[in-house]
Amino acid sequence: MAEDRLPLAGLTVIDCGQVIAGPTLAMLLGDFGADVIKVENPGTGDQVRNFGKAKDGVSLFSKLISRNKRSITLNLRDERGQDLLCRLIEKTKADVLIESFRPGTFDQWNLSYNRLSKLSPGLVLARVSGFGQEGPYRNRPGFGTLAEAMSGFADITGQADGPPTLPPFALADNFAALYGALGVLAALRGRDARGGRGQIVDVSLLESLTAVLGVYFVEYDQLGIVPKRHGNRTASAPRNTYKTSDGRWVAIAASTQSIAERLFAVMGRPDILKDPRFVTNRDRVKNVEAIDEIVGEWVGRHARDALVEILVRAEVAVGPVMDVADLAIDPQLRHRKTLVKVADDELDEILMPDVQPKLSETPGRIRRAGPPLGRDTADILATTLGLDAREIEALRAEKVI
């Protein structure tokens, strides 16, 4: 597909986000065709370049999170860097600016929304922070780990007799990016439908993850229930991970009565449903230890792949517990092209998740992996802002770019 046919083609996004949530928001917009200009600190770049693993000194995380972006370096702590950002907004008539500094930082740098929106009246400013732009926590350092702890997520995750458990990946950041992208698109739709004015999108890591746990607040309000850790179990049973005879694991979810009936039938145990402890889902949840023991014993007599085949044929909800090596060769993901190889100047080819979700007529596309730091600085300053080579070199020498 030609780049100008992508659904967000024609939008200009300036990504001043840091680390994960803000830059991921920008990545999502870039995936669907927006022209994303990534603004990074001269010399050091976005801190995400030092996160995770590297190959030959090249940040692998940055290759993913900065895909479909152009990279420019600007020192936003310097008045000249601030002015260059403003000129960039004005010249491109930027549609979206993303920043994820501590609340108030952009205002201190004379980059208030009032000033920026005069340069591009339709500008949507997405502000991503740990706790939001207002409130008693606004000035605290905001990281996904804190949101995962404070949202209630960690408190309900893990085994009943174990500690609160944090996810091993950036869960809160990614939810904030998704909600932020939704907010930006809604603001753009509102702008284009109602007079062309932009607005501020206030994205909080804490609030984004709290929203995902929504039903627990309804239950607390109406029933006074505070959820506790109970491992893999939920409001249906049997539902758990079970160890197979070859030392591997499967997940089984008998979330409806019909699936439970099919499971017990293929186990050769239709009599289970005659036991008053297991007749309905509510009965089984009350006696979850007993039903899990029965299912676990049966699962433990089978090798994983053979068991999955048996249960799939019986139309029981089952899935092997897979690692990334399994996923890289999984036939479903291969058929759907969920993971794709992306050409890259530094690392030749890189396997990464493709754009989600899939659109039937105007799907997103990964045009390029994340660029080296500042690769596009000179080109953008020259072609967009009209600076000549001497001006660019002077700015570089003075560490403004």
Side-chain angles (χ1 to χ4, degrees), residues 94-96 113 117 119-125 187-188 191 196-199:
D95 298 280
V96 181
Y113 183 65
S117 62
L119 303 171
S120 179
L123 182 70
V124 171
L125 174 59
L188 290 171
R191 178 195 74 176
R197 291 187 60 188
Q199 59 181 297

Side-chain angles (χ1 to χ4, degrees), residues 3 11 47 102 133 140 178 192 197 215 235-236 306 339 372:
E3 196 156 329
L11 290 180
Q47 297 173 64
R102 197 175 299 194
Q133 298 298 309
R140 293 187 184 184
L178 288 166
D192 296 342
R197 291 187 60 188
V215 70
S236 61
L339 302 171

Side-chain angles (χ1 to χ4, degrees), residues 22-69:
T24 300
L25 195 173
M27 181 197 80
L28 295 172
L29 301 177
D31 283 350
F32 287 99
D35 177 20
V36 181
I37 301 173
K38 169 70 175 173
V39 177
E40 301 185 67
N41 235 6
T44 57
D46 188 337
Q47 297 173 64
V48 79
R49 291 184 181 272
N50 296 313
F51 278 28
K53 294 178 172 56
K55 181 181 179 182
D56 300 331
V58 177
S59 164
L60 300 181
F61 204 155
S62 184
K63 285 295 175 185
L64 171 68
I65 206 170
S66 288
R67 71 189 191 190
N68 293 331
K69 300 179 185 181

Side-chain angles (χ1 to χ4, degrees), residues 76-274:
L76 296 182
R77 292 168 177 80
D78 187 298
E79 185 176 337
R80 292 166 295 176
Q82 297 158 14
D83 288 343
L84 286 169
L85 177 64
C86 289
R87 289 174 63 185
L88 188 60
I89 292 169
E90 185 173 27
K91 287 288 187 180
T92 61
K93 292 303 174 192
D95 298 280
V96 181
L97 175 68
I98 299 165
E99 66 99 345
S100 55
F101 292 87
R102 197 175 299 194
T105 300
F106 254 44
D107 292 332
Q108 292 170 11
W109 291 344
N110 195 26
L111 296 171
S112 69
Y113 183 65
N114 184 52
R115 179 187 183 189
L116 302 180
S117 62
K118 289 176 182 176
L119 303 171
S120 179
L123 182 70
V124 171
L125 174 59
R127 293 187 142 158
V128 184
S129 62
F131 304 102
Q133 298 298 309
E134 299 175 343
Y137 299 165
R138 74 184 291 268
N139 292 322
R140 293 187 184 184
F143 291 95
T145 298
L146 307 186
E148 288 146 9
M150 297 171 69
S151 64
F153 173 84
D155 190 61
I156 60 172
T157 303
Q159 297 300 321
D161 57 353
T165 302
L166 297 168
F169 61 97
L171 183 70
D173 290 86
N174 279 283
F175 269 113
L178 288 166
Y179 277 116
L182 173 63
V184 165
L185 293 175
L188 290 171
R189 167 60 179 164
R191 178 195 74 176
D192 296 342
R194 297 180 178 85
R197 291 187 60 188
Q199 59 181 297
I200 296 172
V201 178
D202 184 353
V203 186
S204 157
L205 272 67
L206 175 61
E207 290 168 355
S208 296
L209 195 51
T210 298
V212 180
L213 274 62
V215 70
Y216 291 119
F217 297 99
V218 179
E219 293 173 350
Y220 171 72
D221 178 64
Q222 296 296 308
L223 302 173
I225 296 172
V226 177
K228 297 299 180 185
R229 290 186 295 284
H230 40 68
N232 297 322
R233 293 172 177 140
T234 62
S236 61
R239 187 267 194 183
N240 210 331
T241 54
Y242 304 92
K243 195 172 186 179
T244 57
S245 62
D246 52 352
R248 303 170 89 180
W249 295 83
V250 297
I252 296 174
S255 302
T256 66
Q257 187 69 10
S258 60
I259 292 178
E261 290 171 1
R262 291 197 291 272
L263 172 62
F264 300 146
V266 79
M267 288 171 58
R269 292 291 311 275
D271 59 294
I272 288 174
L273 291 169
K274 297 178 182 177

